[in-house]
Amino acid sequence: GYQGFWIALTFSIRCVQFGSITLLKGSGSVSTRQGVSSNSSSRPPDTSLFVPLSIKSDVGSDGAVGAELTQPLDKNELLKILNKFYKRKEMQKIAADQGLDARLFHQAFISFRKYVLEISMLSADLHIIFNDICCGAGHIDDLYPYFMRHAKQIFPMLDCMEDLRKISDLRVPANWYPEARAIQRKVIFHAGPTNSGKTHHAIQRYLAAKSGVYCGPLKLLAHEIFEKSNNAGVPCDLVTGEERTFVDEEGRQAEHVACTIEMCSVTTPYEVAVIDEIQMIRDISRGWAWTRALLGLCAEEIHVCGEPAAINFVTELMYTTGEEVEVRNYKRLTPFSILDHAVESLDNLRPGDCIVCFSKNDIYSISRQIEIRGLECAVIYGSLPPGTKLSQAKKFNDPEDPCKILVATDAIGMGLNLSIKRIIFNSLVKPNINEKGEKELDTISTSQALQIAGRAGRFSSIFKEGEVTTMHRDDLLILKEILSRTVDTAGLHPTAEQIEMFAYHLPDATLSNLIDIFVSLSQVDGMYFVCNIDDFKFLADMIQHIPLNLRSRYVFCTAPINKKQPFVCTSFLKFARQFSRDEPLTFDWVCRHVITQWIQQELDSIIQVGVRNITRLIRATETNAPPGTNPLSNQRRLGPSPVSPRRVRGAPKAQDSGVEGWQLDKSLGSRLVQEGLLTPDLLRQLQKEWSKVHRQEEEGVKLVAGNNKTKGNKKKKK
């Protein structure tokens, strides 16, 4: 019986069938029974995204059998055999047919070698194979089935590549939404430029409907529709990434809802749906949300609002769903024109000008240069609190206020009513941070340019005609080309259901890795592209250590947060951790864990502003005060002091301040020390701070002057 077992075992090992490959023991050759089926139209996957799993070196139940049947193995001999196997070109070619390219082959071999050399007892069949090779009775190629078995354990995607390709096939996204395909929808395109009344007409139909959903790009716009609807007597809920507001006191959902587009439901039936700013369907980061809404909303009428440049594309997209598009054109209530000349210098600014920048550094630099010229300017950028944005907008819009210039980022593109005569693009490139944390510069999209340009000349403002131009002459032709482009592609993003199916085949992969592999294998036709997934992956990596189910993890990663703000990222982590513990996210909890941190950050910002203002005040008084006079005696400039100043705790009195040679009555800094409002150390720190700010200002002015001079030289050469 023992001998019969040995014969049967030897026979089974010597004729091993592995998948579609048959290896004959000792023959030194490999024959292929059938070719590997593959989709010739699909591109090879990016195997750099395949993360190998770690294999535990557990001893099997038959661990000692191999040694009993043969003899113990010498580790040095095993290493020599493995290295010979690795150098066999035939093995590499066969492995490549199984999806194991050079990169994966190398990684799999390193893991296989480590497994063989570190495990205390090999499985019986592998032990016998190695023994035969050592004794000259076997061939090195006989290791191939065991090597591939190990490779598929550490790279499980190799066994299910065709299934993964089918899941990641994005060529017919209309089929992702069976509920929408089950009804015949009427699609109406309200086409017109900014300030043409197109959205107004769509909203009128929305308010008249029995049920409806408004999908907008900003929470500010969703909130505006929410208020307008409820003020018109149409109960409407508000749903954004940050809040859910139900008008019903008992929390029952209203028939109407205003939401940011990412938050819209594609399973709830409505009579009317409004999709605003449809041209953003080609946005590289958020375009997928417009594609999802357009293809997936279950509404009898879909009212699409956007630029005329998107008409042909939306019409073509609707052919794939069998739905016709009715186009209604609107003219701009106030015209705007693209000028044929650039501004070229801040000396050429006029009241009603808005300079658009794409970085805070540019905003600070330009606003500083405007103030140097004796002009007041308002400043608006994305991370400002909403109240501050509104107050700056009010200051700029007020005809009685001396502030007639606005310096802003693309935050003015939506949601703010501004009295702008002329939009001036300071630049046409916008900095972005890629997944490696590196800064990249990308030219602004057509939808971004149109949205910003449309702010010039508003129907409700004092400027009935708008103008658009650039600060630099070389940018003007580029701007005209950008504004003339049409919408020709729509963004896509892997759905939660698709990622869950991926995870079924790759249960040990992280969400970030699942997304990477999905995009690598995905196939799209010419009408679509896969949106940028860097932000999604950043959040996935951030919360990978937190125990969450895949669907919850996916939803968290769709949060539109600014990854460059540490406070926001920390709060995001706390929310995810609290949710993972199945504990409620109450208002008290938010106040305890988030608001305190926000207050600390705000205090830090206020202190920094205060320090900068004090240093400027010291500079002004020490520079302008005549010898022998006390700057604080000029009541008309500084105003009366209604309260006697109290001495700072720990501040020395004037006589023991240790500041030698100072005339305490000749400078504001000395006076502050004398009154006990500043310590000498703090004064010296303020002076250093002022010197640093002063140098930065001078360098900024010199840099701008140098750039202008360089441009002037280039023009002369031309």
Side-chain angles (χ1 to χ4, degrees):
Y2 189 83
Q3 186 178 9
F5 168 77
W6 161 244
I7 294 172
L9 181 62
T10 304
F11 178 80
S12 65
I13 293 173
R14 294 192 177 192
C15 188
V16 178
Q17 181 177 333
F18 186 82
S20 61
I21 307 295
T22 301
L23 292 101
L24 299 179
K25 162 76 178 63
S27 64
S29 62
V30 180
S31 62
T32 305
R33 261 198 326 180
Q34 59 184 25
V36 179
S37 62
S38 63
N39 186 351
S40 59
S41 64
S42 61
R43 67 179 187 272
D46 182 0
T47 56
S48 65
L49 304 173
F50 293 3
V51 179
L53 302 179
S54 58
I55 302 292
K56 292 183 179 180
S57 301
D58 295 332
V59 180
S61 57
D62 62 343
V65 175
E68 292 175 1
L69 291 176
T70 57
Q71 60 186 357
L73 298 173
D74 183 357
K75 297 289 185 181
N76 291 326
E77 288 299 317
L78 293 183
L79 181 59
K80 291 178 182 178
I81 293 171
L82 289 169
N83 288 338
K84 287 181 182 179
F85 174 82
Y86 179 72
K87 294 176 182 178
R88 288 273 295 168
K89 298 297 182 183
E90 293 84 353
M91 295 297 96
Q92 295 183 25
K93 290 179 181 178
I94 298 173
D97 292 338
Q98 297 291 317
L100 216 61
D101 64 9
R103 180 197 300 270
L104 297 186
F105 184 87
H106 177 75
Q107 288 181 291
F109 173 76
I110 296 298
S111 177
F112 182 60
R113 183 178 65 188
K114 181 180 178 182
Y115 168 79
V116 169
L117 296 179
E118 291 185 359
I119 194 171
S120 57
M121 285 180 287
L122 292 170
S123 61
D125 52 354
L126 185 56
H127 186 107
I128 293 171
I129 288 293
F130 271 115
N131 182 74
D132 283 356
I133 296 173
C134 290
C135 297
H139 195 277
I140 291 175
D141 292 357
D142 295 341
L143 288 176
Y144 179 79
Y146 305 95
F147 167 75
M148 280 303 300
R149 181 174 66 187
H150 183 88
K152 291 189 176 185
Q153 286 178 324
I154 66 170
F155 294 118
M157 62 284 297
L158 295 175
D159 247 349
C160 54
M161 193 61 69
E162 287 306 310
D163 289 335
L164 296 180
R165 287 190 187 279
K166 290 177 183 178
I167 297 169
S168 58
D169 190 339
L170 307 180
R171 287 175 291 187
V172 192
N175 293 345
W176 301 351
Y177 310 102
E179 292 91 346
R181 301 290 77 79
I183 61 177
Q184 188 64 30
R185 307 180 307 170
K186 182 179 180 181
V187 182
I188 299 133
F189 195 126
H190 299 264
T194 304
N195 199 30
S196 62
K198 59 184 182 298
T199 306
H200 170 76
H201 287 84
I203 292 301
Q204 294 307 306
R205 178 67 187 96
Y206 164 82
L207 295 175
K210 295 178 182 178
S211 62
V213 57
Y214 167 83
C215 307
L218 295 176
K219 62 181 179 182
L220 200 61
L221 294 176
H223 196 274
E224 181 182 329
I225 301 302
F226 164 73
E227 289 188 336
K228 182 179 291 186
S229 183
N230 286 299
N231 291 339
V234 179
C236 176
D237 295 336
L238 175 68
V239 178
T240 71
E242 295 179 350
E243 61 180 315
R244 294 182 182 228
T245 303
F246 299 100
V247 291
D248 184 83
E249 293 181 355
E250 297 181 2
R252 290 189 294 264
Q253 294 184 3
E255 295 296 325
H256 288 71
V257 60
C259 63
T260 46
I261 194 159
E262 286 87 352
M263 301 301 295
C264 71
S265 168
V266 292
T267 56
T268 305
Y270 301 102
E271 182 182 348
V272 169
V274 177
I275 304 174
D276 209 355
E277 307 294 351
I278 188 61
Q279 68 276 2
M280 291 190 70
I281 198 169
R282 65 171 294 175
D283 186 85
I284 194 169
S285 298
R286 300 178 65 200
W288 63 270
W290 276 264
T291 306
R292 172 177 173 269
L294 183 60
L295 296 178
L297 281 172
C298 295
E300 298 170 23
E301 293 181 19
I302 306 289
H303 290 258
V304 178
C305 305
E307 297 286 343
I311 293 175
N312 292 338
F313 179 73
V314 170
T315 302
E316 185 179 357
L317 201 62
M318 291 298 95
Y319 286 155
T320 65
T321 65
E323 296 162 332
E324 296 182 0
V325 178
E326 175 189 336
V327 179
R328 298 178 186 175
N329 289 292
Y330 301 84
K331 293 183 178 180
R332 185 178 166 92
L333 300 177
T334 56
F336 83 85
S337 58
I338 304 174
L339 301 180
D340 292 325
H341 58 275
V343 175
E344 300 196 65
S345 172
L346 295 177
D347 294 329
N348 298 326
L349 294 179
R350 305 193 300 252
D353 279 349
C354 172
I355 305 173
V356 179
C357 309
F358 295 106
S359 75
K360 287 183 184 178
N361 288 338
D362 286 346
I363 282 196
Y364 296 147
S365 175
I366 288 176
S367 60
R368 205 179 303 132
Q369 294 174 59
I370 291 173
E371 290 171 354
I372 290 173
R373 288 165 168 80
L375 301 174
E376 287 193 34
C377 66
V379 174
I380 296 176
Y381 53 87
S383 58
L384 279 178
T388 307
K389 287 181 189 174
L390 292 174
S391 65
Q392 289 288 299
K394 183 179 179 181
K395 178 182 176 69
F396 174 70
N397 290 339
D398 187 355
E400 303 298 325
D401 197 289
C403 175
K404 300 300 180 186
I405 307 294
L406 175 63
V407 183
T409 63
D410 51 347
I412 65 163
M414 299 178 191
L416 288 172
N417 291 319
L418 297 163
S419 296
I420 298 172
K421 169 65 175 176
R422 183 171 61 168
I423 288 285
I424 304 167
F425 285 88
N426 183 62
S427 169
L428 297 176
V429 293
K430 186 175 182 180
N432 291 307
I433 305 296
N434 63 21
E435 60 179 332
K436 298 179 182 178
E438 301 166 340
K439 183 175 286 188
E440 297 177 339
L441 294 176
D442 298 323
T443 304
I444 60 173
S445 66
T446 299
S447 61
Q448 289 173 324
L450 286 169
Q451 201 64 45
I452 296 168
R455 297 294 105 183
R458 301 286 291 176
F459 180 70
S460 57
S461 75
I462 61 174
F463 301 113
K464 302 305 179 185
E465 294 186 8
E467 298 172 345
V468 180
T469 186
T470 59
M471 179 62 71
H472 308 295
R473 185 185 301 178
D474 295 342
D475 288 339
L476 193 53
L477 288 176
I478 300 174
L479 176 63
K480 291 181 178 180
E481 190 272 328
I482 291 173
L483 292 174
S484 64
R485 293 174 188 166
T486 58
V487 176
D488 53 4
T489 52
L492 295 174
H493 190 282
T495 66
E497 291 78 13
Q498 289 167 333
I499 296 302
E500 283 177 334
M501 286 191 286
F502 246 57
Y504 173 79
H505 291 286
L506 307 174
D508 296 313
T510 65
L511 177 55
S512 178
N513 193 226
L514 288 172
I515 288 286
D516 268 337
I517 297 173
F518 185 99
V519 174
S520 171
L521 296 175
S522 65
Q523 300 178 66
V524 295
D525 68 15
M527 297 179 67
Y528 300 98
F529 66 93
V530 179
C531 286
N532 190 313
I533 56 171
D534 291 348
D535 289 347
F536 187 98
K537 287 170 52 187
F538 175 85
L539 297 181
D541 290 334
M542 188 190 300
I543 61 173
Q544 180 57 41
H545 65 286
I546 299 176
L548 293 166
N549 63 58
L550 185 61
R551 178 61 68 106
S552 298
R553 194 179 298 277
Y554 180 98
V555 172
F556 266 102
C557 294
T558 59
I561 74 169
N562 188 341
K563 64 182 182 183
K564 291 184 286 186
Q565 295 183 341
F567 160 71
V568 176
C569 293
T570 302
S571 302
F572 175 79
L573 269 174
K574 289 183 177 180
F575 270 75
R577 195 173 288 114
Q578 181 77 351
F579 182 85
S580 72
R581 296 172 182 147
D582 201 21
E583 297 178 3
L585 293 161
T586 63
F587 179 76
D588 290 339
W589 181 88
V590 172
C591 291
R592 227 173 26 250
H593 292 271
V594 178
I595 300 299
T596 304
Q597 182 183 353
W598 174 81
I599 291 173
Q600 181 61 50
Q601 187 184 41
E602 288 298 301
L603 284 175
D604 289 343
S605 301
I606 292 170
I607 290 170
Q608 290 296 325
V609 172
V611 168
R612 185 162 295 178
N613 289 339
I614 290 175
T615 57
R616 287 176 176 170
L617 185 58
I618 292 174
R619 171 193 174 191
T621 53
E622 290 187 340
T623 302
N624 299 328
T629 62
N630 185 347
L632 290 180
S633 64
N634 187 351
Q635 297 295 335
R636 283 179 298 175
R637 178 164 46 167
L638 298 178
S641 178
V643 181
S644 299
R646 292 184 297 174
R647 191 166 71 88
V648 176
R649 184 179 298 173
K653 296 180 181 178
Q655 59 267 28
D656 60 2
S657 64
V659 183
E660 298 179 1
W662 282 15
Q663 300 294 324
L664 295 180
D665 60 343
K666 289 187 179 181
S667 72
L668 175 60
S670 302
R671 180 60 182 267
L672 291 173
V673 172
Q674 184 181 28
E675 296 291 338
L677 296 173
L678 283 178
T679 66
D681 287 341
L682 183 55
L683 178 59
R684 281 190 288 271
Q685 291 178 18
L686 291 174
Q687 288 172 328
K688 289 180 181 178
E689 174 74 15
W690 169 77
S691 297
K692 182 179 178 182
V693 172
H694 182 59
R695 284 196 304 272
Q696 289 175 345
E697 289 178 351
E698 286 184 336
E699 289 171 1
V701 172
K702 288 178 182 177
L703 179 61
V704 173
N707 289 339
N708 290 338
K709 185 177 180 180
T710 302
K711 289 181 179 178
N713 292 335
K714 287 182 180 178
K715 292 170 188 173
K716 288 179 182 178
K717 289 180 181 179
K718 290 181 180 178

